[in-house]
Amino acid sequence: MQKLGVTLFFMLLLCTAQGQQQLRGLVIDSNTARAVSGVSIVAGSRVTATDINGYFEIEVQQLPALIKISALDYESQEYRFADVFPKQIKLHSKPKQAETNRNATELLQKIIANKRNNDPLKKLQTFEIEAYNKVVVTANAADVDAKLDTVYKRKWLGKKRMEIDSSSVKFKALVQKQHLFEAEKVSKFQLSKGNFKETITAARMSGLQTPIYELVAFRLQSFSVYENYFEVLQTRYASPLNASEQHLFQVTVLDTVQLSKRNLAVLHFENKKSRKKGLSGILYCDLENFAIAAAVFRVQGVLDVTARYEFSYDAESSLYIISKKEFKVVKGKSNKDISVLGETFQFDPEDSPIYRTRKQQLTDITYLLSQTHYENPKLNTEVTIKKAAIALQINDAAVRRPVSYWNEYMQRYPDEKSPETYRKLDSLVRAEGIESKLRIGRKILNGYVPFSFFDMDLRQLLSYNNFEGFRLGVGGITNERLSQYIKFDGYYAFGTKDRKAKYSLGTAVRIGKFSSSWIGAGFSDDIREIASTSYTIDKRVFKLYDPRPINISTFYNYRSVRAYAETKIIPKTESIWQFQHMEVTPLFNYLFNYNGQLFDNFTLSTFQASVQWNPFSDFMQTPTGRVEIYKRYPRFTFQLTKSVKDIFGSNFDFQKLDARVDYQKKFIGGERFSILLEAGMASGAVPLTHLYNTAPNNLTKDRLLQRITIAGKNSFETMFFNEFFSSSFAALHVKHGFKPLQISGKIKPLIVLVTRGAVGTMRNRERHVGIPFKTLDKGFLESGVELNKIYSGFGLTAFYRYGPNQLPRLEDNIAIKLSFMLNLGF
């Protein structure tokens, strides 16, 4: 019965393509009948490799066609396709090699040594090429096990109800006619003077009038195979073509083949230390110039990802120029099922045979496929790149291309499912209002709920701190439906404990579309934490709760008027330049002694420049503004504040310089390392309200259990509120998070080791009257462990204070806090 099922399965997989023949097959071990993944398949000038389930598809010009098959630990063989019916191909094993193939290692070293001569992006002064990309989420209808199943559901009285499950039948009928999703774009890639840029001249997405720009820009795989770190789904993997990482890989010569009448060696590589989660694949090395003539990269895990590259040889430049890229994602193998947003996805164990014993899920045969065709390459010709600091640009006209424009590409790269995909999804999205729902969803994720031309700010609705009690409010900002050139914002809030109202009003006018430049003005009457450092350029992040302010009691009131300009005109930066005049009143017992006069409130007029610089990130310019598409580290923030005396009655003359460096690194296994370095320096007549407190987060209570609250993100958990103040300081936060520790099905804590330290000084301490405090001249140190997401997002943290500012009583040096991380079911 099993053999009969396989035969019928293959007979259903008849697959043809206009102008070319599409061959499909399954490669299995002749002894065990298990699928063999990562097998090199060569047919004429095309190459591919089998996926995690042993399947492959490859195009040939005509039949009969001869393919050459090479695999690690198996005998190479040739197989002739006389027709397009899918074939089952059996490989015969051979003895495993005890050590790395020496010839393969030498070839790899030669490839690395010749990278600069063979990489067009390094060898050429200028380079330009056009590209057409299509991304689909789809399934092969013949793979769907379409049958009616009986499903029993239990009623609340304990009785069973029988239903007929026809989902697989409906799914099969659906994917026979259309894809589940489709997106296309036309681009021009340009290289000049070391700058590399993609300009998207056309883009569309099934079901949407305006494509989602972040999805259009999402880079699935590295552009060049020669990059030191190969990128897959924005995750960087060690590459065998990186000289410093070469030792991590085991390399073997599988075979020799011919492509475009040139002799190639087929090299198989895999990461010795991370075989299951690291990079593996096949390199086709030209034996004459040691260039990469084709390549297949794979990452296996919960997702099985295959990135394939094809090149055409240009005899004049002696370079292989990219001609096609393919990126395919299918469900991988895992020893555990995974729950995502309440849905459980079942996986075959990593050592399971190809034939499943469990019921087929639709996710088993659904896959994402991205294909990019390159044409009209121009080498070392005159190329001018406009706005070179922008890595990717989507022209205004790109999203308004007529259907006739896309029909040209449909004729060049035919896909019989595309017309129906657009027709059905466009109709469905309109009927269900999905585009509007997507817009609302994006707003909510950023903390807003749109009401016509006004976005209500969810962050203003409710919060709590020790001074105001519950803070109730309403606020928001006008959106693009009112105008793309002017905006108004504001809020009103009321504290249930201090019984005071707070409010803000502002407006801004856009003066530069490309640079996202605005000029604006506003008025505020609100409170702020004593000696807190805030960067004007920081975007206010939406959080369901912000734990640290809950315990703060010392605030100052400020009434301010400001005029400002914000812009992204400087490459890879955002900046705000502002003048602010404010009346400041401390809401705690404090006097500022300056030149023999005691001030209990202050008038300040300040000029400020706040700049965020992300030199290693990539940015995208869209018709609606500039977006950071690839966030890379380190990231730098600077802020200079200058208060000038006697301008509009300003009392004091002082200056502050603040700086922050943020670095993060994610590891393949799920670990994460981060460093945050902060520093600030204030000089002149600076009231305590505008100095530094280094973010303490410990209550001034006598017993340890009385001090249990909620931990902050980058706060000192053992430092008491208002314990230390500084006019100059530096603080360092170092964290290393490990992958989740599996204790049981629901208990999977994230373990994070944390060490923090700070040092600071206080000039003119005698000026600050009424509030006792210590200084950080000798430094402050604490270390601890975070056990996050122990159960349903809740966790526990413990920190210990040590060093020169350690307290005499042991209990006072310990802080135990609760933590909470929003759990979406991952």
Side-chain angles (χ1 to χ4, degrees):
M1 289 296 293
Q2 192 177 66
K3 291 183 178 179
L4 177 61
V6 173
T7 303
L8 293 173
F9 174 77
F10 280 122
M11 291 182 66
L12 287 170
L13 290 177
L14 178 60
C15 189
T16 61
Q18 184 177 358
Q20 289 184 325
Q21 305 294 329
Q22 188 84 6
L23 307 182
R24 192 168 190 234
L26 169 66
V27 179
I28 64 172
D29 186 296
S30 61
N31 293 322
T32 65
R34 294 178 185 273
V36 184
S37 64
V39 176
S40 166
I41 309 292
V42 179
S45 61
R46 313 307 296 270
V47 301
T48 190
T50 57
D51 64 20
I52 198 168
N53 295 314
Y55 292 113
F56 71 89
E57 291 183 1
I58 194 166
E59 293 177 349
V60 296
Q61 294 294 333
Q62 60 184 8
L63 294 174
L66 187 70
I67 66 172
K68 192 161 188 181
I69 306 169
S70 310
L72 187 67
D73 302 326
Y74 291 92
E75 299 287 349
S76 299
Q77 63 172 281
E78 293 182 344
Y79 192 91
R80 182 174 296 274
F81 275 75
D83 50 49
V84 294
F85 282 95
K87 301 297 188 294
Q88 185 181 87
I89 302 170
K90 297 180 179 180
L91 291 184
H92 301 280
S93 61
K94 65 180 180 181
K96 292 185 178 182
Q97 294 174 276
E99 58 184 25
T100 302
N101 187 298
R102 181 176 299 176
N103 187 35
T105 303
E106 293 174 355
L107 280 174
L108 185 61
Q109 290 173 346
K110 290 178 180 179
I111 294 172
I112 295 172
N114 288 275
K115 278 173 59 174
R116 180 163 288 276
N117 292 329
N118 292 320
D119 184 357
L121 300 185
K122 295 291 189 295
K123 183 178 180 180
L124 298 174
Q125 294 296 316
T126 63
F127 173 67
E128 183 176 290
I129 196 167
E130 298 171 9
Y132 166 72
N133 170 259
K134 175 186 283 190
V135 177
V136 298
V137 177
T138 190
N140 292 310
D143 291 349
V144 183
D145 184 12
K147 60 182 179 181
L148 299 175
D149 287 335
T150 301
V151 177
Y152 294 93
K153 294 186 177 181
R154 187 175 295 275
K155 291 185 176 181
W156 68 277
L157 291 175
K159 296 182 179 181
K160 290 184 178 180
R161 177 166 54 93
M162 183 178 71
E163 291 184 352
I164 299 299
D165 181 9
S166 61
S167 58
S168 60
V169 177
K170 294 178 180 178
F171 186 75
K172 182 182 181 73
L174 177 71
V175 297
Q176 280 178 330
K177 298 178 180 180
Q178 68 174 83
H179 300 301
L180 304 176
F181 172 82
E182 181 172 341
E184 299 169 276
K185 68 176 179 178
V186 179
S187 303
K188 180 185 293 183
F189 290 87
Q190 295 175 299
L191 170 73
S192 180
K193 298 179 181 179
N195 296 307
F196 187 62
K197 181 176 181 178
E198 178 186 3
T199 302
I200 297 175
T201 55
R204 68 171 177 170
M205 208 169 272
S206 57
L208 302 177
Q209 292 183 349
T210 302
I212 301 173
Y213 297 124
E214 290 82 356
L215 292 182
V216 173
F218 193 84
R219 189 167 73 171
L220 299 173
Q221 64 194 102
S222 293
F223 181 86
S224 172
V225 297
Y226 292 103
E227 294 181 16
N228 284 335
Y229 291 92
F230 192 79
E231 194 166 308
V232 175
L233 298 173
Q234 294 191 346
T235 300
R236 300 172 75 211
Y237 294 86
S239 169
L241 300 185
N242 184 345
S244 62
E245 306 283 0
Q246 179 191 351
H247 66 282
L248 297 176
F249 292 87
Q250 180 172 310
V251 190
T252 307
V253 175
L254 299 181
D255 204 351
T256 56
V257 297
Q258 273 201 341
L259 284 180
S260 303
K261 299 181 180 180
R262 296 181 69 85
N263 294 322
L264 310 178
V266 183
L267 276 66
H268 177 275
F269 68 88
E270 63 181 7
N271 195 303
K272 300 174 185 176
K273 296 182 178 180
S274 304
R275 293 186 179 184
K276 292 182 180 179
K277 296 183 179 179
L279 196 67
S280 64
I282 303 167
L283 302 174
Y284 297 83
C285 170
D286 190 310
L287 293 173
E288 182 179 333
N289 60 6
F290 305 106
I292 300 298
V296 179
F297 295 89
R298 298 190 66 217
V299 177
Q300 302 175 68
V302 173
L303 295 177
D304 182 61
V305 180
T306 303
R308 184 165 63 88
Y309 293 78
E310 293 183 6
F311 302 89
S312 58
Y313 184 71
D314 181 71
E316 183 177 347
S317 63
S318 300
L319 287 172
Y320 282 92
I321 306 300
I322 186 72
S323 60
K324 184 178 180 181
K325 286 196 309 187
E326 185 176 280
F327 187 88
K328 187 175 182 180
V329 182
V330 301
K331 192 166 79 171
K333 294 182 181 294
S334 174
N335 291 322
K336 299 181 179 67
D337 296 338
I338 293 178
S339 176
V340 180
L341 298 175
E343 293 291 333
T344 299
F345 291 84
Q346 292 181 326
F347 290 81
D348 291 319
E350 296 180 17
D351 58 350
S352 69
I354 182 62
Y355 305 110
R356 297 185 178 90
T357 57
R358 62 173 173 82
K359 178 184 175 182
Q360 183 191 66
Q361 290 185 303
L362 298 182
T363 54
D364 293 334
I365 42 86
T366 303
Y367 61 90
L368 179 145
L369 178 66
S370 170
Q371 291 183 325
T372 308
H373 299 270
Y374 296 88
E375 55 189 13
N376 301 326
K378 299 176 182 178
L379 315 182
N380 286 332
T381 59
E382 185 176 350
V383 173
T384 301
I385 300 179
K386 298 180 180 179
K387 305 293 191 300
I390 304 299
L392 189 149
Q393 183 172 342
I394 302 178
N395 294 333
D396 289 6
V399 298
R400 299 194 297 267
R401 298 291 185 184
V403 175
S404 58
Y405 176 92
W406 294 106
N407 287 341
E408 295 181 16
Y409 288 92
M410 291 288 292
Q411 294 173 6
R412 204 179 310 172
Y413 307 104
D415 180 351
E416 61 183 15
K417 292 184 179 181
S418 282
E420 187 70 3
T421 303
Y422 281 99
R423 189 182 72 83
K424 284 289 185 64
L425 289 181
D426 289 351
S427 175
L428 174 66
V429 169
R430 284 194 300 269
E432 299 292 333
I434 293 176
E435 194 158 20
S436 176
K437 293 176 182 177
L438 284 173
R439 174 179 172 270
I440 294 173
R442 289 166 64 98
K443 296 276 189 178
I444 290 175
L445 288 175
N446 289 316
Y448 295 94
V449 175
F451 294 96
S452 184
F453 59 85
F454 181 78
D455 294 343
M456 185 178 71
D457 191 346
L458 295 174
R459 295 164 292 196
Q460 298 293 343
L461 294 179
L462 177 66
S463 60
Y464 179 86
N465 61 67
N466 275 344
F467 182 81
E468 294 177 284
F470 286 100
R471 177 179 169 126
L472 309 174
V474 63
I477 186 170
T478 58
N479 57 42
E480 65 281 355
R481 290 190 173 184
L482 176 69
S483 174
Q484 294 184 357
Y485 303 97
I486 188 170
K487 59 186 177 183
F488 300 92
D489 65 272
Y491 64 83
Y492 176 87
F494 183 80
T496 59
K497 186 175 181 180
D498 69 337
R499 313 296 295 176
K500 298 289 185 180
K502 296 89 182 174
Y503 54 89
S504 173
L505 292 171
T507 185
V509 178
R510 190 173 74 180
I511 58 174
K513 182 178 180 181
F514 186 87
S515 60
S516 299
S517 297
W518 296 75
I519 57 172
F523 172 78
S524 296
D525 187 341
D526 209 333
I527 63 173
R528 189 171 296 166
E529 179 190 358
I530 178 178
S532 58
T533 302
S534 61
Y535 290 87
T536 307
I537 196 61
D538 282 351
K539 296 180 178 62
R540 187 176 177 186
V541 178
F542 174 53
K543 301 177 181 178
L544 291 180
Y545 78 106
D546 192 0
R548 187 177 169 274
I550 291 175
N551 300 311
I552 300 173
S553 301
T554 47
F555 292 85
Y556 62 89
N557 175 257
Y558 67 95
R559 294 169 56 89
S560 72
V561 178
R562 72 172 185 138
Y564 68 92
E566 63 177 73
T567 182
K568 299 178 182 178
I569 194 169
I570 304 173
K572 301 198 174 187
T573 68
E574 300 177 50
S575 60
I576 294 180
W577 310 75
Q578 75 172 8
F579 170 78
Q580 187 173 23
H581 178 75
M582 69 180 81
E583 301 288 336
V584 178
T585 303
L587 301 176
F588 51 93
N589 183 28
Y590 173 71
L591 297 173
F592 183 53
N593 185 351
Y594 179 62
N595 289 338
Q597 183 178 353
L598 294 175
F599 291 84
D600 59 1
N601 58 77
F602 329 116
T603 300
L604 303 175
S605 294
T606 63
F607 296 90
Q608 187 179 80
S610 187
V611 180
Q612 172 78 50
W613 180 40
N614 307 327
F616 304 102
S617 295
D618 287 338
F619 295 84
M620 169 180 64
Q621 188 71 36
T622 76
T624 57
R626 191 172 304 176
V627 181
E628 185 179 7
I629 50 175
Y630 295 110
K631 184 182 289 187
R632 298 191 179 98
Y633 296 87
R635 303 160 65 84
F636 304 89
T637 310
F638 306 97
Q639 184 163 282
L640 176 64
T641 304
K642 173 64 178 176
S643 176
V644 182
K645 190 177 180 180
D646 296 330
I647 294 182
F648 300 113
S650 177
N651 298 134
F652 312 120
D653 194 341
F654 66 82
Q655 45 278 330
K656 293 179 62 179
L657 177 61
D658 301 305
R660 180 179 65 201
V661 181
D662 186 10
Y663 174 80
Q664 296 182 22
K665 182 177 181 180
K666 295 180 182 179
F667 295 90
I668 295 172
E671 298 184 9
R672 177 177 295 187
F673 176 76
S674 67
I675 295 178
L676 178 65
L677 176 62
E678 300 176 291
M681 180 175 64
S683 60
V686 195
L688 189 65
T689 53
H690 289 63
L691 292 179
Y692 305 104
N693 63 14
T694 60
N697 192 33
N698 202 11
L699 295 176
T700 310
K701 299 287 183 68
D702 187 57
R703 312 307 302 178
L704 174 61
L705 294 180
Q706 295 175 315
R707 299 195 296 267
I708 294 179
T709 56
I710 301 177
K713 183 179 179 181
N714 289 305
S715 53
F716 284 84
E717 303 300 332
T718 61
M719 184 184 293
F720 296 100
F721 285 101
N722 301 333
E723 183 179 4
F724 297 95
F725 292 105
S726 305
S727 59
S728 299
F729 86 101
L732 180 67
H733 306 256
V734 181
K735 296 183 179 182
H736 186 90
F738 297 89
K739 60 184 180 181
L741 180 63
Q742 184 74 43
I743 296 177
S744 68
K746 293 187 177 181
I747 301 178
K748 296 178 286 187
L750 298 172
I751 302 175
V752 183
L753 300 182
V754 184
T755 292
R756 298 188 179 97
V759 63
T761 60
M762 174 61 81
R763 298 186 184 93
N764 303 311
R765 180 172 180 171
E766 69 282 356
R767 290 178 174 173
H768 309 293
V769 180
I771 182 169
F773 62 88
K774 297 186 288 186
T775 64
L776 289 170
D777 298 83
K778 296 181 180 180
F780 185 96
L781 293 170
E782 72 173 25
S783 294
V785 60
E786 299 176 357
L787 298 176
N788 297 319
K789 295 179 70 173
I790 295 176
Y791 187 82
S792 298
F794 290 95
L796 195 65
T797 71
F799 284 85
Y800 181 69
R801 171 173 174 169
Y802 56 96
N805 270 296
Q806 188 175 34
L807 299 173
R809 195 172 65 158
L810 176 64
E811 184 179 9
D812 294 337
N813 297 300
I814 299 173
I816 297 175
K817 307 286 179 70
L818 301 176
S819 68
F820 179 78
M821 296 178 65
L822 183 62
N823 190 349
L824 295 177
F826 290 90

